[in-house]
C-alpha cells in the first residue's frame, strides 16, 4: 500500500545517470518557420536547415514538413525549434501516447519524458538504431549493423510492446510553489499538471496523486518493486533522511536483490532480466576463466555480477566495484552465495589505479585472463578508465551502455588501445523516449 501521502520526509536524491544543468523553457515569442525534416539527431530532436543554418527540431519525424517556432536564436551555428503544426505528416506519425505531450499543446505546456511518443514503435527503434550506428561510425570508425530489439514480453508482464506504455517502475513527479504535482515540461524545469502517466506501470499510474496538493513538498516519488507493494513517497528538502533507510526487493528470475528504495535500479520492468540474459550471452565462454580476477565495474547492488555467477557457477571469482557505499553493502549480501565474490566501495578510476599498483606478477596474470563487465553512468567510462583498463589487458570486456555517443567514444578509445568490438546488441528499454541501451563485447587483440 502507498505510504502516507501527507507525510513529509527529507528529500532523497536519487543517483543520476545524466546530471545536466537545468534547461531553459522554450521561447513562446520566436518566429515560426517552415522546415523539411532531414534526419534524427542524438537527444530526441531532428535536423533541418533554414537559410544555411542547422535547426534542431522537437516533435517531428524525418521526411515531414512542419511549422516550428524557434526557441533559441542565440547561437551562431544552430537554432532550436519546437514543432507547432505538421504540414506534411510521415506515415509513421501516430496520435501521441501521452495526450499531455502532444503537438496539439503549446510547446511550453507539453509534458517531458516521452519525446518519441508521436512515432510508431518500429520507426522509433529504427531511429534509435540510426543514432547508435552514426555515433559508432563517426567516433569509433566502425560501420555496424544495429538492430534495436524490444524487451521480451516474458520479461515485462503488463507492458504494451505495440504502444510502448506501462513500463516505468520508478517515476519522480515534481511539486510547484502552489503544491501542484506534475512532470517537467519538455526541455524545461517548468512543472506541468497532467491527468495521466501512460509510461508508468499500471499500479503506479493508479496510485499517482495527480489531483492532490502537497504544500511544502519538493517531489513525489512513485516506486513499484517487483516484490512487494508499490509506494508513493512525499519528499522535501536537500538532505537524506537520518536513521534507517527504506529497502525493497527486486526479483530477476529466481533471484532476489535487496537495495535501498531510493537506490539505482533499472527503470523498465523487464530491463534487469534483459540485461542479465544479454551479459550472460555476450561473454565468450572460451575466453572466460572463473578463477581469474574477474570484475563488475560500476556494479551497483550486484545484478550483473550475479548474472555472471549464474552462468559460470559457484567457483566464480569476481569483484564488484561501486562508489555508493550503501549499494556496495547490498551487493555483498546479494552475492554472498559465491565464496569468491567480494564487493568494494571505490571510484572505478581510483580502484583501477590501486589494482595496477598493487598487483604482482601472479595477480597481473589473473587480470590478463579476466573478464571485466562495466555498466558506467550515462557519461560513459571515459578516457581515464579506458586507459587503465586497457593497460591491465583483460581478455574480454562486456560493456553495458545507456548513451550511444558516450559508448561510441569509449569504443573508439578501446580500439586505439588494442580492443575490437566483437558483438553488439541494442535494446529498447525506454520506449517513447530517445534513450537506448546497448550491450557489447570487446576482445583484446593479441
Amino acid at each position: 500500500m502507498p505510504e502516507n501521502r501527507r507525510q513529509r520526509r527529507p528529500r532523497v536524491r536519487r543517483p543520476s545517470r545524466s546530471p545536466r544543468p537545468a534547461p531553459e523553457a522554450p521561447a513562446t515569442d520566436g518566429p515560426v518557420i517552415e522546415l523539411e525534416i532531414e534526419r534524427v539527431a542524438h537527444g530526441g530532436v531532428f535536423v533541418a536547415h533554414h537559410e544555411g543554418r542547422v535547426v534542431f527540431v522537437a516533435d517531428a519525424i524525418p521526411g515531414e514538413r512542419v511549422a516550428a517556432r524557434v526557441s533559441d536564436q542565440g547561437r551562431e551555428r544552430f537554432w532550436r525549434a519546437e514543432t507547432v503544426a505538421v504540414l506534411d505528416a510521415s506515415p509513421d506519425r501516430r496520435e501521441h501516447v501521452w495526450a499531455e505531450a502532444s503537438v496539439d499543446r503549446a510547446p511550453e505546456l507539453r509534458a517531458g519524458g516521452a519525446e518519441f511518443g508521436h512515432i510508431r514503435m518500429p520507426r522509433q527503434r529504427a531511429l534509435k538504431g540510426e543514432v547508435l550506428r552514426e555515433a559508432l561510425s563517426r567516433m569509433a570508425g566502425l560501420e555496424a549493423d544495429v538492430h534495436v530489439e524490444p524487451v521480451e514480453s516474458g520479461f515485462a508482464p503488463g507492458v504494451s510492446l505495440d504502444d510502448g506504455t506501462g513500463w516505468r517502475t520508478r517515476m519522480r513527479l515534481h511539486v510547484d510553489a502552489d503544491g501542484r504535482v506534475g512532470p517537467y515540461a519538455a526541455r524545461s524545469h517548468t512543472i506541468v499538471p497532467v491527468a495521466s502517466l501512460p509510461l508508468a506501470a499500471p499500479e503506479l499510474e493508479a496510485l499517482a496523486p495527480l489531483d492532490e496538493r502537497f504544500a511544502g513538498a519538493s517531489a513525489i516519488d512513485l516506486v513499484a518493486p517487483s516484490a512487494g507493494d508499490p509506494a508513493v513517497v512525499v519528499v522535501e528538502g536537500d538532505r537524506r533522511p537520518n536513521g534507517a533507510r527504506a529497502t525493497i526487493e527486486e526479483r530477476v528470475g529466481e533471484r532476489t536483490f535487496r537495495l535501498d528504495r531510493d537506490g539505482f535500479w533499472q527503470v523498465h520492468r523487464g530491463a534487469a532480466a534483459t540485461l542479465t540474459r544479454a551479459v550472460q550471452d555476450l561473454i565468450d565462454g572460451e575466453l572466460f576463466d572463473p578463477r581469474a580476477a574477474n570484475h563488475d565495474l560500476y556494479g551497483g547492488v550486484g545484478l550483473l555480477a550475479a548474472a555472471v555467477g549464474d552462468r559460470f557457477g559457484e567457483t566464480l571469482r569476481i569483484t564488484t566495484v561501486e562508489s555508493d557505499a550503501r549499494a556496495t553493502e547490498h551487493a555483498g549480501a546479494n552475492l554472498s552465495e559465491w565464496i569468491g565474490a567480494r564487493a568494494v566501495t571505490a571510484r572505478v578510476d581510483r580502484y583501477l589505479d590501486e589494482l595496477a599498483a598493487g598487483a604482482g606478477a601472479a595477480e597481473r596474470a589473473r587480470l590478463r585472463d579476466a573478464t571485466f563487465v562495466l555498466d558506467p553512468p550515462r557519461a560513459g567510462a571515459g578516457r581515464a578508465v579506458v586507459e587503465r583498463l586497457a593497460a591491465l589487458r583483460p581478455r574480454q570486456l562486456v560493456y553495458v551502455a545507456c548513451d550511444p555517443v558516450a559508448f561510441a567514444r569509449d569504443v573508439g578509445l578501446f580500439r586505439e588501445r588494442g580492443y575490437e568490438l566483437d558483438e553488439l546488441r541494442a535494446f529498447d528499454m525506454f520506449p517513447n523516449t530517445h534513450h537506448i541501451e546497448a550491450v557489447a563485447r570487446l576482445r583484446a587483440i593479441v
Side-chain angles (χ1 to χ4, degrees):
M1 295 296 294
E3 300 185 9
N4 185 342
R5 292 177 179 174
R6 300 298 182 187
Q7 175 180 338
R8 296 184 181 180
R9 295 172 180 256
R11 182 175 183 178
V12 176
R13 292 191 180 275
R14 295 182 185 277
S16 174
R17 286 183 163 249
S18 55
R20 295 175 182 172
E24 298 294 330
T28 59
D29 56 354
V32 175
I33 57 178
E34 289 191 13
L35 296 169
E36 302 282 345
I37 307 301
E38 301 164 16
R39 58 183 177 84
V40 67
H42 179 48
V45 293
F46 302 86
V47 177
H49 284 82
H50 178 72
E51 297 179 351
R53 186 189 305 271
V54 172
V55 184
F56 292 112
V57 189
D59 303 312
I61 305 174
E64 290 188 329
R65 186 168 63 90
V66 304
R69 184 179 301 280
V70 177
S71 56
D72 181 2
Q73 293 178 272
R75 302 175 186 269
E76 293 183 3
R77 295 177 54 208
F78 63 87
W79 288 349
R80 296 188 182 275
E82 322 288 330
T83 298
V84 294
V86 180
L87 306 178
D88 291 318
S90 165
D92 292 309
R93 180 172 284 273
R94 65 176 179 181
E95 184 177 347
H96 204 293
V97 296
W98 194 358
E100 289 92 337
S102 171
V103 73
D104 298 331
R105 277 194 164 198
E108 68 274 13
L109 299 178
R110 294 174 196 166
E115 61 275 7
F116 277 8
H118 61 290
I119 308 172
R120 297 184 189 276
M121 293 305 301
R123 186 69 185 280
Q124 285 191 36
R125 296 182 190 123
L127 290 169
K128 295 178 187 187
E130 286 180 30
V131 171
L132 178 52
R133 185 166 49 249
E134 191 276 336
L136 285 169
S137 175
R138 177 168 51 89
M139 306 190 75
L142 287 171
E143 300 303 321
D145 182 17
V146 180
H147 171 66
V148 179
E149 308 170 43
V151 172
E152 292 183 27
S153 58
F155 291 156
V159 175
S160 170
L161 293 181
D162 292 333
D163 294 335
T165 55
W167 55 270
R168 289 194 68 106
T169 60
R170 283 152 175 75
M171 179 170 283
R172 168 159 285 192
L173 301 173
H174 304 275
V175 182
D176 68 14
D178 296 322
R180 292 175 299 184
V181 175
Y184 285 140
R187 297 163 291 281
S188 167
H189 278 184
T190 300
I191 296 168
V192 178
V194 297
S196 65
L197 297 171
L199 302 194
E203 62 269 35
L204 284 190
E205 185 172 25
L207 289 178
L210 298 177
D211 57 353
E212 299 184 30
R213 296 287 183 108
F214 294 86
S218 59
I220 305 295
D221 280 344
L222 308 176
V223 184
S226 54
D229 295 326
V232 177
V233 186
V234 180
V235 294
E236 64 178 14
D238 293 323
R239 295 177 302 168
R240 287 186 180 275
N242 295 322
R245 291 166 61 177
T247 60
I248 59 173
E249 290 184 345
E250 294 284 358
R251 290 200 185 104
V252 182
E254 300 300 315
R255 185 167 296 284
T256 298
F257 295 85
R258 180 169 289 275
L259 64 149
D260 286 352
R261 184 176 56 194
D262 66 305
F264 175 77
W265 188 256
Q266 294 291 334
V267 173
H268 190 293
R269 170 153 278 162
T274 299
L275 291 176
T276 292
R277 176 77 60 81
V279 166
Q280 290 172 337
D281 289 348
L282 263 68
I283 293 175
D284 186 335
E286 294 185 359
L287 296 177
F288 190 83
D289 178 355
R291 296 190 178 277
N294 302 298
H295 279 74
D296 173 20
L297 304 181
Y298 314 94
V301 298
L303 172 68
L304 300 183
V308 180
D310 283 335
R311 178 177 173 190
F312 293 101
E314 61 184 13
T315 63
L316 175 72
R317 178 185 178 187
I318 192 166
T319 299
T320 181
V321 183
E322 167 60 50
S323 62
D324 185 287
R326 286 284 296 177
T328 307
E329 181 180 341
H330 288 303
N334 293 332
L335 300 171
S336 60
E337 70 187 73
W338 288 280
I339 296 174
R342 69 186 185 113
V344 174
T345 302
R347 272 183 41 170
V348 168
D349 56 347
R350 294 175 182 172
Y351 172 83
L352 294 176
D353 277 340
E354 294 173 4
L355 186 64
E363 185 63 16
R364 285 188 175 275
R366 285 191 288 270
L367 287 166
R368 287 193 298 272
D369 291 339
T371 294
F372 276 66
V373 177
L374 59 156
D375 182 11
R378 197 168 299 282
R383 180 178 294 275
V385 169
V386 169
E387 288 178 346
R388 289 162 170 81
L389 265 178
L392 294 174
R393 208 64 184 169
R395 288 180 181 174
Q396 62 181 329
L397 308 166
V398 176
Y399 191 133
V400 180
C402 57
D403 183 273
V405 171
F407 169 67
R409 176 206 64 210
D410 288 348
V411 169
L413 292 172
F414 277 119
R415 293 191 76 208
E416 291 172 358
R417 290 157 180 79
Y419 282 81
E420 282 297 339
L421 182 65
D422 255 5
E423 190 171 346
L424 172 67
R425 296 180 68 184
F427 299 94
D428 191 16
M429 292 185 183
F430 309 91
N432 293 308
T433 80
H434 72 277
H435 297 292
I436 181 176
E437 197 89 3
V439 185
R441 181 177 68 241
L442 295 102
R443 178 173 51 87
I445 304 303
V446 179

